[in-house]
């Protein structure tokens, strides 16, 4: 009896990682067929065009180009991507922000199984294609405030421009996102998860229950309250006063 | 198989091989080929005081070093990767030289493992 094998490519400039991933896929995933394993972004583009894979394992940082640069050179992306990177790589933030799938080197078998399982779940749903095209747009856009954040809500996916977010309030396993048009959205992420995603993007967690967007701060009152509008003040926790003041001063200086 | 190693821990290697000695041999040979090239490049970048290239190379070597269980090198490499721009150059040189010494010891381990088993 024949069964469908997932057509897959490995693109990584480290020969050790290519061997390791190929061996793990061969040994533990009989339904994955590695069609080719190449060492550069340029060869990756050629192999994608030739083989039309369903799944690629793509190194974030290669000698000739980054994985994102390689993807942006393709006219159409109709495969799913699992990025491969190291724990300390600066791109991890971009990968997490854009909700993309990734594996840390050297590849852990449990994580690989999880990523392949997610690939099978995503197939035909198009979620990952949306996230990837969003990621490429965000990475190409130098203005962080215009970056799009894709979040899950109870009703489906929510896509927000960062500049539109005024502040966020945590509510146990959920968070309320307050937008500049006066509405609020409930998302299925904790405040801590959002704090991590929004790090270095002009947002600050000033209190155990609040994150503020510096862009919408109108003033900082008596070292206790952040004024976001005529009627909206957000408290700053006592232990964060000094740090917030330094952070906000640096933000203002950088914005001038 | 006989493992008389001092620096490397072959556990991940044994796990991936699942009893297939050819796989173990493949990774040992690859280590023996890649690491001297990378040590050579590391020395050249160090001589040129090219911090970015030093970081880049260590970043690339790191997964193989972890896979071979060279735990002594995990923290120094992590520090070099994170602090390569700010660390005083003398400290960076000392740390990279320590990494090179340990890698040479690991190479001896790998050489011995190949000689004793294949």
């Amino acid at each position: 009896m024949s069964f469908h094998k997932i057509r897959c490519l490995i693109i990584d400039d480290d020969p050790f990682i290519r061997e390791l991933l190929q061996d793990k896929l061969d040994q533990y995933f009989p339904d994955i067929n590695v069609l080719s394993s190449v060492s550069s972004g340029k060869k990756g583009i050629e192999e994608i065009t030739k083989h039309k894979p369903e799944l690629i394992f793509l190194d974030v940082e290669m000698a000739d180009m980054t994985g994102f640069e390689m993807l942006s050179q393709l006219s159409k992306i109709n495969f799913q991507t699992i990025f491969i990177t190291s724990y300390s790589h600066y791109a991890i933030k971009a990968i997490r922000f854009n909700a993309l799938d990734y594996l840390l080197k050297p590849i852990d078998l449990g994580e690989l199984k999880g990523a392949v399982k997610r690939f099978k779940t995503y197939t035909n749903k198009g979620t990952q294609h949306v996230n990837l095209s969003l990621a490429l747009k965000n990475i190409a856009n130098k203005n962080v405030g215009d970056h799009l954040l894709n979040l899950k809500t109870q009703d489906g996916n929510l896509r927000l421009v960062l500049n539109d977010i005024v502040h966020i309030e945590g509510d146990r396993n959920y968070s309320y996102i307050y937008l500049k048009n006066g509405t609020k959205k409930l998302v299925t992420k904790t405040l801590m998860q959002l704090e991590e995603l929004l790090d270095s993007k002009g947002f600050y967690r000033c209190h155990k229950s609040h994150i503020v967007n510096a862009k919408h701060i109108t003033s900082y009152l008596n070292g206790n309250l952040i004024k976001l509008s005529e009627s909206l003040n957000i408290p700053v926790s006592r232990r964060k006063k000094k740090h917030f003041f330094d952070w906000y001063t640096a933000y203002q200086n950088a914005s001038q | 198989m006989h493992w008389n190693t001092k620096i490397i821990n072959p556990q991940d290697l044994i796990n991936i091989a699942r009893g297939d000695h050819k796989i173990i041999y493949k990774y040992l040979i690859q280590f023996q080929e890649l690491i001297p090239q990378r040590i050579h490049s590391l020395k050249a970048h160090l001589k040129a005081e090219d911090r970015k290239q030093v970081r880049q190379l260590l970043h690339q070597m790191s997964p193989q070093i972890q896979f071979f269980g060279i735990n002594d090198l995990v923290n120094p490499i992590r520090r070099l990767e994170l602090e390569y721009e700010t660390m005083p150059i003398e400290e960076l040189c000392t740390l990279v030289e320590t990494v090179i010494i340990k890698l040479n010891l690991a190479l001896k381990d790998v050489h011995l493992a190949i000689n004793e088993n294949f």
Side-chain angles (χ1 to χ4, degrees), chain A residues 226-250:
Chain A
I226 297 168
K227 193 174 175 66
L228 292 171
S229 68
E230 277 308 310
S231 57
L232 181 60
N233 294 323
I234 300 289
V236 180
S237 67
R238 211 181 328 161
R239 65 181 179 87
K240 289 208 170 172
K241 275 183 195 172
K242 166 84 173 71
H243 191 261
F244 171 74
F245 180 77
D246 293 344
W247 174 85
Y248 187 53
T249 306

Side-chain angles (χ1 to χ4, degrees), chain B:
Chain B
M1 287 190 76
H2 185 61
W3 295 97
N4 189 21
T5 57
K6 294 187 176 74
I7 294 279
I8 67 166
N9 177 353
Q11 198 51 54
D12 279 355
L13 196 55
I14 293 164
N15 289 346
I16 187 81
R18 301 205 298 178
D20 186 342
H21 290 185
K22 276 190 284 186
I23 291 180
I24 291 180
Y25 183 66
K26 177 180 75 175
Y27 284 103
L28 290 173
I29 289 293
Q30 192 185 50
F31 189 90
Q32 208 177 33
E33 284 171 1
L34 280 179
I35 294 298
Q37 290 169 24
R38 287 172 170 176
I39 289 176
H40 180 76
S41 302
L42 208 48
K43 283 179 179 170
H45 298 321
L46 201 59
K47 198 177 170 190
E49 296 190 0
D50 189 338
R51 291 168 181 259
K52 204 176 165 189
Q53 287 299 324
V54 166
R55 186 212 78 95
Q56 177 90 357
L57 201 58
L58 289 170
H59 179 79
Q60 206 179 26
M61 291 162 80
S62 184
Q64 198 176 21
I65 286 167
Q66 284 179 61
F67 179 77
F68 274 83
I70 313 170
N71 295 329
D72 289 359
L73 288 182
V74 172
N75 282 336
I77 288 180
R78 197 165 287 192
R79 253 197 86 199
L80 283 161
E81 276 196 82
L82 295 172
E83 298 174 34
Y84 73 101
E85 280 182 309
T86 52
M87 185 182 282
I89 193 70
E90 297 79 15
E91 196 181 350
L92 184 133
C93 289
T94 308
L95 217 47
V96 173
E97 279 157 12
T98 310
V99 169
I100 292 173
I101 290 168
K102 298 265 182 193
L103 284 175
N104 278 319
L105 290 172
L107 273 169
K108 281 186 183 167
D109 269 359
V110 166
H111 187 70
L112 191 67
I114 292 170
N115 281 350
E116 287 186 346
N117 295 297
F118 297 98

Side-chain angles (χ1 to χ4, degrees), chain A residues 145 149 160-169 176-185 198 201-206 210-218 226-234 244 247 251:
Chain A
L149 177 63
L160 297 169
V161 178
L162 291 188
N163 275 342
D164 291 345
I165 300 172
V166 177
H167 74 111
I168 306 168
E169 187 178 5
Y176 284 101
I177 298 191
Y178 291 80
L179 301 171
K180 71 177 182 185
N181 64 9
T183 61
K184 69 174 180 179
K185 305 282 182 188
L198 297 168
K201 292 187 184 292
F203 287 78
Y204 189 89
R205 184 166 182 180
C206 57
H210 299 282
I211 291 173
V212 291
N213 183 352
K215 191 181 162 55
H216 293 283
I217 296 175
T218 55
I226 297 168
K227 193 174 175 66
L228 292 171
S229 68
E230 277 308 310
S231 57
L232 181 60
N233 294 323
I234 300 289
F244 171 74
W247 174 85
Y251 171 84

Side-chain angles (χ1 to χ4, degrees), chain A residues 136-236:
Chain A
L136 295 176
K137 279 183 194 159
N138 281 342
I139 288 161
N141 190 343
K142 299 289 173 217
N143 188 354
V144 173
D146 291 335
H147 284 188
L148 288 162
L149 177 63
N150 211 16
L151 293 169
K152 281 198 179 84
T153 70
Q154 284 172 326
D155 306 321
N157 279 352
L158 174 71
R159 201 179 296 178
L160 297 169
V161 178
L162 291 188
N163 275 342
D164 291 345
I165 300 172
V166 177
H167 74 111
I168 306 168
E169 187 178 5
D171 186 5
R172 277 174 281 187
N173 293 330
Y174 299 89
S175 297
Y176 284 101
I177 298 191
Y178 291 80
L179 301 171
K180 71 177 182 185
N181 64 9
T183 61
K184 69 174 180 179
K185 305 282 182 188
L186 182 66
V187 297
T188 55
K189 277 211 186 298
T190 64
L191 205 62
M192 192 191 281
Q193 289 168 325
L194 288 168
E195 180 187 16
E196 196 186 310
L197 283 180
L198 297 168
D199 179 44
S200 313
K201 292 187 184 292
F203 287 78
Y204 189 89
R205 184 166 182 180
C206 57
H207 185 272
K208 66 178 168 69
S209 304
H210 299 282
I211 291 173
V212 291
N213 183 352
K215 191 181 162 55
H216 293 283
I217 296 175
T218 55
S219 60
Y220 181 37
L221 308 168
N222 306 324
N224 293 321
L225 291 170
I226 297 168
K227 193 174 175 66
L228 292 171
S229 68
E230 277 308 310
S231 57
L232 181 60
N233 294 323
I234 300 289
V236 180

